């Protein structure tokens, strides 16, 4: 019994020591990740929403079908989505530099993250909008609602529960992307795990990062689920 | 109120409505009946410009629908409320907000909106459910919300697309009664698309029978059912098992005769016996009519037919197959 207890205490001390050693790095990385993910989620939602509104309006059964516009956006969205994120970061580096003033750093990374995620967001939002009962949309139109009113007063509120779940999916995807952002000095948990955990063989750092990432995913998903239940 | 001439409508190369000509008068209940896919909903949607048409003309209150601009269409839709088979309510909102929606679309001030919504809920008998979510309502209650919403902008025409098809018979009757009361008190013109014969008989003054997008009959409801054409007959299914042997005769009772006991009088006058196969008394728009099927032995057939002829009754000899 005492022997067991001793090894347990020793293990605990080791964990504590490892934690204290990298605490500052870890929190710095966690903050960077949260910052990158939340900013790029918001931005990609904004752009994705605009794209989705155009797609919904011009789509085959939209409020004002326009095959040419719809197909162009549809193709652009598919094209952007088929580029691996790591390639995208490098490919749009000049654009990033132009817009953000620098191509390197956490804030600069928000640009490629947004560009990578906006088409995905557009698809998710389009999907949620398409789920809205066609009859409800028709009813709105039959009372003289304009296209704008139909989208914002009927489709958006009706699609809200599905949208919330999809936003969680989007944020989790961006969490995954953000781990690759280290390449351009984006920092974050993925970067920390790579620099210290992989390159310098500090396995405990990798484990801490993984634990934090798991917690983040859980938090995002359960928030999404909770809001979904509230909104339904 | 609505004037349709030579109307043609197609989806791509498929013609869905062709060569339709009729007028709908102010204050009447106009029924559009026909099998599934006949083009009933499409016709209704042409009235309020939810669909365009390729040929002919639809004039609503004197204005050509196809010639209306955006504002014109908006005004047209304000003047035509619409109710639906599946109610088409916003599931996440409560009764009040659903009824308030058309008023919001038209930027009615909040206070005025509230007053109007409460008035409408009172009209359809849902005052106590105002703040319940529509998800939790029964079908009949949902349709009441639909009716209140359709009336929100004080339209002069009410378009009903299978408004009672998703309801059980008893609820159907209460909804029809509500519609009838509303029509009287608000001086509405109602256009009812339906495939339910009970609804037509009970509500409609006149009927348009559509099949394959073409007019198969147009006229007063009574005439339709008292002297049905073969097209109409296929729509009036009846489920009587006919007695084999002898001859089955269906007699229709128009207004003047239904109260008198035709059958017993005939039996006495001719001194013949016959079996009653079945019958139905139905409520037409404003009174009770019906038909009766009797089975007559072949030896008496001629006598009976002569009697019926003489008394100017509506009747038909039913073939055994039917
Ligand atoms: N948007 C559309 N595009 C192409 N075809 C359509 C469209 N809407 C309806 N149709 C076709 O037009 C025809 C008439 O349809 P409509 O919905 O008017 O029939 P209906 O008489 O209302 O039938 P139901 O009793 O089933 O409601 C059908 O053959 C249908 O397939
Ligand atoms: Mg229909």
């Amino acid at each position: 019994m005492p022997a067991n207890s001793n090894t347990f205490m020793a293990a605990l001390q080791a964990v504590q020591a490892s934690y204290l050693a990298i605490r500052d790095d870890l929190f710095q990385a966690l903050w960077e990740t949260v910052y990158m993910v939340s900013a790029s989620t918001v931005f990609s939602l904004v752009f994705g929403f605009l794209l989705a509104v155009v797609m919904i309006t011009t789509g085959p059964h939209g409020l004002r079908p326009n095959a040419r516009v719809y197909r162009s956006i549809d193709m652009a969205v598919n094209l952007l989505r088929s580029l691996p994120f790591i390639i995208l970061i490098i490919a749009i580096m000049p654009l990033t530099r132009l817009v953000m003033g620098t191509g390197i750093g956490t804030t600069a990374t928000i640009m490629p993250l947004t560009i990578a995620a906006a088409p995905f967001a557009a698809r998710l939002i389009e999907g949620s909008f398409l789920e809205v009962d066609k009859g409800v949309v028709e009813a709105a139109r039959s009372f003289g609602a304009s296209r704008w009113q139909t989208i914002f007063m009927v489709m958006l509120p009706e699609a809200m529960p599905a949208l919330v779940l999809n936003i969680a999916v989007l944020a989790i995807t961006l969490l995954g992307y953000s781990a690759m952002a280290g390449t351009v000095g984006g920092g974050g948990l993925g970067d920390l795990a790579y620099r210290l955990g992989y390159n310098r063989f500090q396995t405990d750092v990798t484990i801490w990062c993984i634990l934090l990432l798991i917690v983040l995913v859980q938090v995002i998903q359960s928030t999404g689920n909770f809001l979904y239940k509230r909104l339904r | 109120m609505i004037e349709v001439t030579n109307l043609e409508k197609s989806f791509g190369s498929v013609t869905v409505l062709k060569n339709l000509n009729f007028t709908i008068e102010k204050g009447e209940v106009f029924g559009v009946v026909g099998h599934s896919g006949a083009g009933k909903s499409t016709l209704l949607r042409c009235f309020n410009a939810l669909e365009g048409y390729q040929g002919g003309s639809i004039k609503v209150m004197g204005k050509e629908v196809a010639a209306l601009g955006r504002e014109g269409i908006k005004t047209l839709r304000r003047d035509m409320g619409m109710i639906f088979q599946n109610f088409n309510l916003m599931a996440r909102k409560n009764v009040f907000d659903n009824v308030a929606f058309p008023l919001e679309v038209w930027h009615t001030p909040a206070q005025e909106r509230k007053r109007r919504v409460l008035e409408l809920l009172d009209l359809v008998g849902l005052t106590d459910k105002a703040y319940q979510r529509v998800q939790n309502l029964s079908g009949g209650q949902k349709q009441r919300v639909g009716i209140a919403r359709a009336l929100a902008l004080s339209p002069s025409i009410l378009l009903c697309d299978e408004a009672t098809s998703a309801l059980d018979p008893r609820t159907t009757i209460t909804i029809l009664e509500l519609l009838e009361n509303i029509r009287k008190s608000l001086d509405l013109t109602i256009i009812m698309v339906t495939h339910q014969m009970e609804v037509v008989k009970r509500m409609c003054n006149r009927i348009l029978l559509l099949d394959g997008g073409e007019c198969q009959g147009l006229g007063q409801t009574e005439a339709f059912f008292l002297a049905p054409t073969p097209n109409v007959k296929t729509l009036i299914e009846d489920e009587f098992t006919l007695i084999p042997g002898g001859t089955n005769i269906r007699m229709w009772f128009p207004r003047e005769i239904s109260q008198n006991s035709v059958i017993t009088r005939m039996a006495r006058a001719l001194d013949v016996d016959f079996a009653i196969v079945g019958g139905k008394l139905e409520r037409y728009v404003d009174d009770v009519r019906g038909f009766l099927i009797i089975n007559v032995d072949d030896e008496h057939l001629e006598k009976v037919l002569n009697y019926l002829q003489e008394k100017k009754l509506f009747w038909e000899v039913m073939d055994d197959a039917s």
Side-chain angles (χ1 to χ4, degrees):
Chain A
M1 204 53 186
N4 265 344
S5 156
N6 276 343
T7 37
F8 179 68
M9 289 307 288
L12 210 60
Q13 273 161 8
V15 169
Q16 196 185 17
S18 118
Y19 171 69
L20 288 175
I22 59 152
R23 183 176 58 184
D24 293 345
D25 284 345
L26 205 58
F27 275 94
Q28 173 69 24
L30 176 65
W31 158 246
E32 285 164 359
T33 294
V34 169
Y35 169 61
M36 279 189 292
V37 170
S38 42
S40 56
T41 302
V42 170
F43 286 125
S44 56
L45 273 179
V46 171
F47 291 115
F49 185 78
L50 295 177
L51 280 175
V53 165
V54 180
M55 286 200 286
I56 283 294
T57 317
T58 58
H61 298 288
L63 297 168
R64 188 183 212 178
N66 183 329
R68 197 179 298 169
V69 173
Y70 181 77
R71 246 185 276 133
S72 319
I73 296 184
D74 194 54
M75 252 171 59
V77 163
N78 286 344
L79 207 83
L80 270 178
R81 286 194 61 196
S82 51
L83 276 181
F85 179 58
I86 201 87
I87 308 274
L88 187 89
I89 296 183
I90 298 161
I92 65 161
M93 191 72 99
L95 185 68
T96 310
R97 241 182 243 123
L98 196 73
V99 175
M100 311 293 278
T102 167
I104 300 278
T106 313
T107 303
T109 315
I110 292 171
M111 174 96 184
L113 279 175
T114 301
I115 290 185
F120 181 48
R123 272 280 180 260
L124 292 175
I125 297 170
E126 184 196 20
S128 318
F129 272 36
L130 287 177
E131 290 286 296
V132 174
D133 185 355
K134 296 270 175 308
V136 178
V137 173
E138 170 157 318
R141 296 218 291 144
S142 81
F143 300 121
S146 66
R147 242 170 269 142
W148 220 229
Q149 286 172 322
T150 307
I151 291 174
F152 285 93
M153 293 166 71
V154 179
M155 297 178 87
L156 184 58
E158 287 290 297
M160 216 27 137
L163 271 178
V164 163
L165 278 189
N166 279 331
I167 292 173
V169 171
L170 178 71
I172 290 171
T173 306
L174 276 166
L175 188 63
Y177 283 179
S178 76
M180 286 180 250
T183 331
V184 285
L189 289 168
D191 179 49
L192 185 67
Y194 180 72
R195 272 190 297 117
L196 299 185
Y198 181 74
N199 285 346
R200 299 219 204 131
F201 309 107
Q202 296 183 18
T203 312
D204 56 331
V205 176
T206 311
I207 294 175
W208 281 114
C209 290
I210 291 174
L211 283 177
L212 280 179
L213 284 170
I214 292 176
V215 170
L216 278 180
V217 170
Q218 287 298 337
V219 168
I220 296 171
Q221 191 60 56
S222 1
T223 312
N225 290 347
F226 172 77
L227 287 175
Y228 175 76
K229 283 207 193 91
R230 283 294 299 274
L231 287 170
R232 251 176 74 108
Chain B
M1 200 99 243
I2 299 183
E3 245 185 282
V4 176
T5 31
N6 296 325
L7 181 65
E8 300 268 347
K9 159 83 192 166
S10 49
F11 289 108
S13 58
V14 188
T15 306
V16 204
L17 297 174
K18 38 182 178 281
N19 199 24
L20 293 181
N21 288 286
F22 57 90
T23 33
I24 299 173
E25 306 298 336
K26 184 167 166 46
E28 81 174 325
V29 182
F30 188 84
V32 179
V33 296
H35 291 294
S36 184
K40 308 182 293 290
S41 302
T42 308
L43 176 62
L44 206 61
R45 294 159 51 84
C46 285
F47 290 156
N48 64 354
L50 285 174
E51 292 286 359
Y53 44 92
Q54 279 70 40
S57 129
I58 299 178
K59 282 200 173 115
V60 178
M61 294 179 269
K63 288 194 186 121
E64 180 67 43
V65 174
L68 294 172
R70 187 187 297 208
E71 283 308 307
I73 288 179
K74 217 180 152 180
T75 315
L76 173 79
R77 290 180 181 164
R78 187 191 59 198
D79 293 334
M80 294 180 134
M82 196 169 191
I83 57 177
F84 308 86
Q85 175 169 10
N86 299 315
F87 323 121
N88 295 352
L89 303 172
M90 289 184 271
R92 297 190 47 238
K93 301 215 160 144
N94 65 26
V95 171
F96 186 100
D97 291 340
N98 267 284
V99 177
F101 176 73
L103 298 164
E104 272 175 65
V105 164
W106 283 85
H107 306 293
T108 310
Q111 254 183 352
E112 163 71 11
R113 202 158 67 208
K114 178 158 188 187
R115 190 192 59 73
R116 180 77 181 132
V117 172
L118 294 178
E119 181 182 288
L120 287 160
L121 289 181
D122 184 44
L123 183 71
V124 299
L126 280 179
T127 309
D128 53 327
K129 301 268 191 270
Y131 299 101
Q132 278 201 20
R133 287 181 69 169
V134 292
Q135 266 173 343
N136 308 327
L137 299 179
S138 71
Q141 290 168 335
K142 283 182 185 162
Q143 196 57 290
R144 282 165 192 273
V145 179
I147 292 172
R149 180 177 66 173
L151 296 175
L153 301 169
S154 312
S156 45
I157 300 175
L158 188 61
L159 306 174
C160 310
D161 193 353
E162 305 274 7
T164 54
S165 301
L167 305 174
D168 63 63
R170 196 179 301 164
T171 314
T172 297
I173 289 177
T174 61
I175 292 294
L176 293 181
E177 275 167 0
L178 175 66
L179 284 175
E180 182 55 24
N181 290 339
I182 287 169
R183 188 191 65 75
K184 281 201 194 109
S185 59
L186 303 180
D187 197 21
L188 282 175
T189 305
I190 298 185
I191 303 170
M192 294 208 93
V193 161
T194 184
H195 62 261
Q196 294 172 297
M197 285 305 133
E198 318 86 73
V199 172
V200 173
K201 286 177 193 162
R202 211 189 154 94
M203 287 286 291
C204 301
N205 305 110
R206 286 197 307 142
I207 313 179
L208 168 71
L209 175 66
L210 274 187
D211 198 22
E214 287 179 283
C215 170
Q216 298 290 342
L218 173 70
Q220 300 288 328
T221 309
E222 293 175 26
F224 250 86
F225 287 96
L226 293 180
T229 62
N231 288 324
V232 177
K233 256 186 251 172
T234 58
L235 275 168
I236 320 171
E237 333 81 317
D238 44 43
E239 52 287 334
F240 299 104
T241 319
L242 299 178
I243 298 175
T247 304
N248 294 300
I249 302 172
R250 188 206 301 261
M251 303 159 59
W252 303 85
F253 296 73
R255 191 196 316 254
E256 314 79 55
I257 304 179
S258 55
Q259 269 80 4
N260 306 334
S261 11
V262 189
I263 300 298
T264 47
R265 222 184 298 160
M266 180 164 79
R268 258 179 281 139
L270 301 180
D271 193 23
V272 293
D273 293 319
F274 37 71
I276 292 177
V277 179
K280 218 169 168 184
L281 275 185
E282 288 160 318
R283 237 192 83 116
Y284 284 79
V285 178
D286 44 14
D287 70 306
V288 178
R289 318 285 168 77
F291 68 80
L292 195 68
I293 301 172
I294 58 173
N295 184 281
V296 184
D297 283 341
D298 287 336
E299 50 177 311
H300 302 307
L301 183 62
E302 213 181 294
K303 256 205 289 188
V304 171
L305 292 185
N306 282 338
Y307 180 87
L308 293 173
Q309 196 78 25
E310 199 177 299
K311 295 282 171 193
K312 298 217 163 38
L313 292 171
F314 293 89
W315 54 271
E316 61 170 339
V317 171
M318 303 175 75
D319 42 284
D320 291 333
S322 67

